[in-house]
């Protein structure tokens, strides 16, 4: 696997921000902030699993057809091939830690099904 991320890499997206806080063989750790009223695309990955832990705020999590509320310390496991999304329906930011594990850990492994920001979808 080629490591495309380095600790300290960060980016702004229409929904908020992410920052890489850890990188190792076959894993990347990101701190992600979803701003009030924003949502990530409904997506899936072919080659990676993701582990999320909510550290602050209240999120609406979609895993395949299930939708539920997640609070501080809620763990979420997303296996490769599973549709998922996180949304912030509150007035405060949602912050979570995302651990990606697998052989392909880059933007090429995002398959979008819905995106309110007009980014490429199926």
């Amino acid at each position: 696997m080629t490591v495309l991320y380095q600790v300290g890499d960060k980016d702004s997206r229409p929904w908020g921000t992410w920052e890489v806080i850890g990188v190792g063989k076959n894993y990347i750790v990101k701190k992600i902030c979803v701003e009030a009223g924003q949502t990530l695309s409904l997506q899936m990955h072919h080659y990676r699993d993701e582990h999320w832990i909510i550290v602050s705020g209240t999120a609406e999590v979609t895993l395949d057809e299930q939708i539920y509320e997640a609070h501080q310390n809620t763990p979420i496991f997303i296996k490769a091939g599973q549709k998922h999304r996180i949304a912030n329906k509150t007035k405060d930011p949602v912050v979570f830690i995302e651990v990606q594990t697998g052989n392909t850990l880059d933007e090429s492994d995002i398959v979008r099904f819905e995106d309110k920001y007009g980014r490429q979808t199926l």
Side-chain angles (χ1 to χ4, degrees):
M1 179 191 95
T2 304
V3 176
L4 300 176
Y5 293 104
Q6 295 181 6
V7 172
D9 287 351
K10 55 179 104 176
D11 197 9
S12 294
R13 299 292 168 99
W15 45 260
T17 60
W18 59 259
E19 179 179 358
V20 176
I21 58 175
V23 175
K25 183 176 178 173
N26 297 331
Y27 77 87
I28 294 170
V29 182
K30 290 182 177 178
K31 177 183 172 188
I32 299 174
C33 179
V34 182
E35 297 298 335
Q38 303 302 315
T39 184
L40 279 69
S41 58
L42 180 63
Q43 59 185 256
M44 62 81 93
H45 312 288
H46 291 289
Y47 306 107
R48 73 176 185 235
D49 296 327
E50 293 180 346
H51 305 259
W52 296 347
I53 184 78
I54 306 298
V55 294
S56 67
T58 300
E60 180 184 274
V61 174
T62 301
L63 290 177
D64 289 325
E65 303 304 318
Q66 181 184 7
I67 298 172
Y68 62 93
E69 205 170 82
H71 306 276
Q72 185 177 31
N73 295 324
T74 301
I76 299 134
F77 175 67
I78 302 132
K79 61 185 177 226
Q82 191 171 28
K83 288 183 183 178
H84 60 281
R85 166 176 27 219
I86 193 163
N88 181 355
K89 307 248 175 161
T90 73
K91 295 181 180 178
D92 297 311
V94 169
V95 178
F96 66 101
I97 303 302
E98 174 181 85
V99 180
Q100 302 174 6
T101 57
N103 292 322
T104 300
L105 302 174
D106 60 39
E107 300 293 307
S108 71
D109 191 31
I110 297 175
V111 178
R112 288 190 177 93
F113 298 95
E114 295 174 12
D115 184 72
K116 77 178 204 175
Y117 309 105
R119 295 174 295 177
Q120 182 179 354
T121 58
L122 291 177

